[in-house]
Amino acid sequence: MSIIYDEQSKQFHLTNGSLSYIIRILENGSIGQVYCGKALRIENPLPAPIPFKGFSNNDKSFARFEYPVYGSGDFRQPAFKLRFADGSVVAEPEYQEHRIYAGKKEVPGLPSTYTEKPSEAETLELELLDNVSGVKIVLYYTIFGEYNCIARHTAFVNPGDQTVFIENGMSLSLDLPDPHWNMITLTGAWAREFEVSDAPLRPGFQGIQSMRGISGAQTNPALILRRPATTEHHGEALGFSLLYSGNFTAAVEVDQWDITRVMIGINSDTFSWELKSTGVFHTPEAVLVFSDEGLNGLSQQFHGLYRSRLARGKWRDAERPVLLNNWEGTYFDFTEAKILEMAALSRELGVELFVLDDGWFGKRDDDHSSLGDWFPHKTKLPEGVTGLAKKVTALGIMFGLWIEPEMVNPDSDLFRAHPDWAVHTPERVRTEQRYQYVLDMGRPEVIDYLFKVLSDILKDAPISYIKWDMNRSITEPYSLSLSAEQQGEFFHRYVLGVYDLYARLTAAFPDLLFESCASGGARFDPGMLHYAPQGWLSDDTDGLERIHIQDGASLVYPISSISAHVSAVPNHQTARITPLSFRGMVAFFGVLGYELDPAKLKPEEQEAVKKQIAFYKAHRQTFQFGSFYRLVSPLRHSLSGRFAAWMTVSPDGSEAIVGVFKILSNPNQRPLTLKLTGLESAADYQVTIWETGGFAEADRHYNCGTRGGDELMNAGLMLECTDHHSPRKGDFFSELFLLKRK
Ligand code: GLA
């Protein structure tokens, strides 16, 4: 991998042999975008972008800019906008100098991808200067050798005497030469996160944004462009993902010449930043991924980078424990004795970590009170968290705890002591959601307090895991600690405060496994992944719904980050009844957990759960860290909504597991060919079926035995080949194939 600067053409070529990204210093000193896509040979500098003189007589009117400025003849959405002391907003950034070096720097105070050795990546810093104000704009690009990814962000530097306001500062802007793309976004709501929307680009502005203070269940900070013919397995796609957990914009503008501008960054509608003299402001990092191997190829680049060079710490590469969380089993209604009974039974089933969810603190018996009072509930836990944790660990199982540190109930000692810490706008109504307010995480004293109170719990009790929840959006944004001019900084400072608390806690307790959560997946984003290597994807634990949610999330997020629980039926969110085997096999393609009362399992269900956990543990490397493929996506396939299939190949290629999910039974079914992928053509595999889960026993006859990798990938598995007329055993079939390389 290399970054080459050609003096003559003034062209920078970033390439790793699979991806090329080419930009050029234009005659007027601004930066033009030349090419982004499949690798080109470095010895052929491309011609400069064509100047467009259409709308003004100056030479600033190029078609494809790298970091477009507001107010100078490019009438599209700008990448940044500054406001100077005299109220003017026109900047004229011109190339000054550049630096190319091995490795990658951190983005101060923000999550970022990283290298372990400088040789893994190369970075270009491109420094532009606005001569009149003296403001410098530094564009950072890092290209990785192993992943088809470029990490970008921007720094604004103010060496002058006068304060400058940043009114918009995107992390990434990219002008592509044509509009022949479909735009995929991940949208949804509480309990139906990661719905995949996929539509052709049209002229004009289009995209998604969050204004909730968190990335949101409604919009995930990612945007994918695929060519109309691109499938899961073939064709070009570009992915854009923002390492940020607050208000963002991910948008595309198709202009009058069919040039497609993509941008991703902090949402400028809820942002401004007072850049004082000598100040520096860093935008969050954005990651761009290119694939010419379809959407699976794109996802695997994201997965690899995020799993290995975004997530950090002891748990990054460690097999994650199978947990049991008491939430759906008891909700707020538990005693210490009940928890110990659940923990003991969990241990017998093979569970490795017991997690105590909401309701262990203050006087919290429902969701009306006590958030902020992080002291044990005296009646429920007479010997405190420490006493309970010791008793649980004495059973031979790890102990984990739920917290929601960013929140406070009006009915809490913390609120009574510090009403000013709760976010509100003076003189205005304070909106409650779930009877709670949000703490002003932009205030250092709030972070100090939370660090102390949480550290006190963590240093005394044998706690191995923390589920960090965040259960409401932010209203009446305002901080009593900021000046009138700085109020536009409120949301970003909130996010910086959350990152700061995470950074301090992960540094102080490096052995802890953190799981992020926000009413399920309302803050399941790459920013969180830097601190918490796994996240609770959705409060919806219904097996069928989970297929859709996990499938959508897998477009960007690695399987090791997707926490997936088997819960009781009828399901608490949908009232649907699905077989235990179906729920289990769906959750296998994630970090497996259970969220039910094990005392309520029938003996045969207990045996089935034991068998599931034993199987999962035996193949945990493959499930959590393997190469994951969507073979048949539930909604993006001709059998739309009726069928799904996933596959994962172990990191060393020695085994693969295929999960097949048939959602609804139908009579006189069609035979189905399922072509596998990611295998070695020349290798032979021993194929067995772990469980037929409602599929015909005949599947063993047609598929099991020694099979060639070439055969499995080209002729495929043959499913539903018999039983055309016999009655089916009900809905929600799931079947799991195990392939062992011989
Ligand atoms: C949120 C989480 C749930 C659970 C509850 C507890 O909804 O997503 O998993 O922890 O809070 O109140």
Side-chain angles (χ1 to χ4, degrees):
M1 135 233 44
S2 54
I3 299 178
I4 291 127
Y5 178 58
D6 177 47
E7 276 287 351
Q8 221 188 344
S9 61
K10 293 194 174 357
Q11 190 162 281
F12 297 91
H13 186 159
L14 290 71
T15 184
N16 58 9
S18 305
L19 155 73
S20 278
Y21 190 94
I22 303 177
I23 53 181
R24 178 189 288 237
I25 305 164
L26 302 173
E27 271 169 32
N28 67 352
S30 62
I31 310 294
Q33 159 62 223
V34 180
Y35 176 82
C36 171
K38 197 174 169 70
L40 306 179
R41 280 180 289 138
I42 46 178
E43 64 269 22
N44 295 337
L46 291 176
I50 315 152
F52 277 80
K53 302 281 187 184
F55 38 45
S56 66
N57 290 329
N58 69 27
D59 59 359
K60 293 173 185 168
S61 309
F62 286 90
R64 294 168 61 201
F65 283 113
E66 188 56 9
Y67 202 65
V69 61
Y70 173 76
S72 299
D74 180 307
F75 299 107
R76 296 163 290 185
Q77 189 69 17
F80 76 103
K81 186 175 174 190
L82 303 176
R83 180 163 51 84
F84 300 102
D86 63 358
S88 66
V89 291
V90 174
E92 296 169 311
E94 287 180 20
Y95 169 83
Q96 282 301 295
E97 55 182 1
H98 70 266
R99 297 169 281 279
I100 295 173
Y101 51 87
K104 180 177 189 294
K105 291 181 187 163
E106 285 187 355
V107 183
L110 283 159
S112 54
T113 56
Y114 57 87
T115 54
E116 289 199 328
K117 292 195 279 301
S119 57
E120 290 177 5
E122 233 175 89
T123 297
L124 164 67
E125 285 183 26
L126 202 50
E127 195 170 300
L128 315 178
L129 174 71
D130 177 45
N131 257 310
V132 174
S133 68
V135 171
K136 288 182 192 160
I137 296 146
V138 187
L139 308 179
Y140 290 78
Y141 301 81
T142 298
I143 183 159
F144 291 84
E146 196 171 327
Y147 310 105
N148 267 352
C149 303
I150 290 180
R152 280 183 60 177
H153 91 277
T154 302
F156 295 91
V157 185
N158 183 9
D161 302 332
Q162 306 226 308
T163 295
V164 174
F165 285 86
I166 306 167
E167 299 202 324
N168 177 21
M170 286 289 122
S171 299
L172 173 157
S173 175
L174 177 64
D175 284 354
L176 297 164
D178 74 77
H180 309 302
W181 300 95
N182 271 35
M183 179 170 75
I184 298 178
T185 49
L186 302 168
T187 52
W190 172 78
R192 47 181 175 79
E193 298 87 346
F194 292 101
E195 291 174 346
V196 178
S197 124
D198 184 341
L201 289 180
R202 52 183 170 71
F205 199 77
Q206 53 226 281
I208 54 168
Q209 63 170 359
S210 169
M211 294 182 128
R212 307 173 156 266
I214 50 177
S215 41
Q218 292 70 13
T219 50
N220 198 264
L223 188 153
I224 294 170
L225 296 181
R226 71 166 176 93
R227 292 295 183 189
T230 294
T231 64
E232 288 288 6
H233 306 289
H234 304 285
E236 275 187 340
L238 282 165
F240 306 86
S241 166
L242 188 66
L243 281 56
Y244 194 58
S245 308
N247 292 344
F248 73 94
T249 301
V252 171
E253 183 174 359
V254 177
D255 76 6
Q256 59 194 319
W257 297 298
D258 278 355
I259 286 163
T260 296
R261 175 167 294 172
V262 187
M263 64 210 89
I264 193 163
I266 293 180
N267 188 337
S268 59
D269 282 348
T270 56
F271 169 82
S272 69
W273 194 269
E274 186 183 31
L275 190 64
K276 297 200 173 98
S277 167
T278 72
V280 182
F281 178 84
H282 289 269
T283 70
E285 184 169 304
V287 166
L288 178 158
V289 172
F290 168 74
S291 163
D292 61 351
E293 294 174 352
L295 293 173
N296 273 315
L298 186 90
S299 301
Q300 283 172 2
Q301 298 302 320
F302 271 129
H303 292 185
L305 183 74
Y306 283 0
R307 188 172 54 218
S308 304
R309 293 294 180 265
L310 172 62
R312 293 176 306 167
K314 173 186 154 173
W315 286 99
R316 186 189 74 181
D317 303 329
E319 292 189 358
R320 310 292 165 68
V322 176
L323 66 79
L324 187 136
N325 177 306
N326 73 310
W327 179 241
E328 286 199 16
T330 64
Y331 294 105
F332 293 104
D333 185 15
F334 59 83
T335 59
E336 190 192 68
K338 178 65 192 168
I339 293 302
L340 289 171
E341 179 205 42
M342 290 174 85
L345 282 171
S346 306
R347 167 82 178 83
E348 276 174 33
L349 298 172
V351 169
E352 298 156 307
L353 165 70
F354 180 86
V355 178
L356 179 59
D357 210 276
D358 195 354
W360 60 266
F361 50 92
K363 52 184 178 60
R364 190 155 166 100
D365 294 321
D366 55 36
D367 55 8
H368 286 64
S369 83
S370 303
L371 289 172
D373 297 344
W374 302 109
F375 309 102
H377 189 300
K378 292 270 164 39
T379 338
K380 286 180 182 169
L381 305 183
E383 292 175 43
V385 174
T386 310
L388 174 68
K390 283 184 177 159
K391 288 178 197 172
V392 170
T393 48
L395 295 168
I397 183 168
M398 291 185 280
F399 180 75
L401 197 64
W402 177 97
I403 55 170
E404 197 182 355
E406 298 154 69
M407 296 294 153
V408 65
N409 284 112
D411 181 6
S412 68
D413 292 343
L414 182 67
F415 184 72
R416 284 182 280 273
H418 295 286
D420 57 313
W421 283 8
V423 173
H424 68 285
T425 299
E427 314 283 322
R428 305 286 173 185
V429 167
R430 293 183 182 213
T431 302
E432 284 182 26
Q433 278 178 8
R434 210 193 187 202
Y435 316 103
Q436 64 199 54
Y437 297 142
V438 187
L439 291 175
D440 184 352
M441 299 292 281
R443 289 172 72 160
E445 66 270 36
V446 172
I447 304 300
D448 288 344
Y449 171 80
L450 290 171
F451 178 69
K452 162 107 186 35
V453 86
L454 296 172
S455 302
D456 285 349
I457 301 169
L458 293 168
K459 66 179 190 262
D460 285 344
I463 295 176
S464 304
Y465 158 107
I466 285 288
K467 175 178 172 188
W468 178 327
D469 209 342
M470 197 290 183
N471 280 321
R472 63 159 287 183
S473 304
I474 300 174
T475 53
E476 294 84 39
Y478 187 86
S479 178
L480 297 178
S481 68
L482 296 176
S483 66
E485 293 73 34
Q486 285 183 302
Q487 289 302 328
E489 301 173 18
F490 167 81
F491 277 114
H492 185 57
R493 285 186 183 274
Y494 181 93
V495 179
L496 293 176
V498 173
Y499 291 150
D500 184 28
L501 185 57
Y502 253 118
R504 288 170 68 176
L505 286 169
T506 48
F509 302 96
D511 293 339
L512 262 188
L513 171 59
F514 279 89
E515 175 158 334
S516 71
C517 175
S519 311
R523 199 167 61 181
F524 193 103
D525 58 50
M528 283 292 124
L529 204 47
H530 191 55
Y531 306 94
Q534 62 190 57
W536 182 225
L537 192 64
S538 176
D539 278 352
D540 190 343
T541 53
D542 174 283
L544 167 57
E545 295 283 303
R546 273 275 169 169
I547 293 184
H548 296 276
I549 299 170
Q550 289 172 215
D551 195 88
S554 77
L555 277 165
V556 177
Y557 300 100
I559 302 308
S560 57
S561 71
I562 295 177
S563 191
H565 297 179
V566 175
S567 62
V569 288
N571 178 266
H572 293 196
Q573 292 77 38
T574 61
R576 186 179 287 122
I577 296 177
T578 54
L580 181 54
S581 57
F582 186 87
R583 279 171 276 149
M585 286 188 214
V586 173
F588 281 176
F589 289 87
V591 176
L592 177 67
Y594 290 78
E595 188 157 330
L596 43 73
D597 181 355
K600 293 192 179 140
L601 291 173
K602 299 188 195 103
E604 63 274 19
E605 289 174 330
Q606 289 186 5
E607 285 315 306
V609 169
K610 273 187 201 164
K611 199 178 143 205
Q612 287 180 347
I613 293 176
F615 181 81
Y616 184 80
K617 283 181 183 168
H619 303 283
R620 187 158 28 189
Q621 269 294 326
T622 309
F623 281 123
Q624 294 180 353
F625 299 103
S627 300
F628 175 82
Y629 297 87
R630 293 171 300 271
L631 295 180
V632 179
S633 276
L635 292 176
R636 298 189 299 285
H637 190 271
S638 56
L639 293 174
S640 176
R642 294 198 285 123
F643 194 72
W646 294 328
M647 175 172 183
T648 169
V649 182
S650 66
D652 66 0
S654 65
E655 72 169 26
I657 298 172
V658 181
V660 182
F661 306 96
K662 179 157 184 206
I663 291 156
L664 294 180
S665 167
N666 54 303
N668 193 13
Q669 72 279 2
R670 307 161 175 87
L672 212 72
T673 300
L674 182 66
K675 291 187 186 178
L676 306 187
T677 186
L679 302 173
E680 290 164 38
S681 284
D684 282 337
Y685 293 83
Q686 185 66 33
V687 179
T688 52
I689 293 179
W690 178 66
E691 221 185 89
T692 51
F695 278 89
E697 271 300 319
D699 280 4
R700 291 189 204 276
H701 168 74
Y702 287 106
N703 299 293
C704 292
T706 300
R707 309 280 308 275
D710 53 349
E711 185 193 342
L712 290 163
M713 292 195 287
N714 296 297
L717 297 175
M718 292 192 291
L719 308 175
E720 308 257 66
C721 291
T722 187
D723 276 357
H724 289 262
H725 302 293
S726 56
R728 308 307 304 262
K729 296 187 199 94
D731 297 327
F732 310 113
F733 308 148
S734 57
E735 186 164 41
L736 212 124
F737 291 87
L738 177 62
L739 281 63
K740 287 273 185 194
R741 191 179 56 196
K742 291 185 119 181

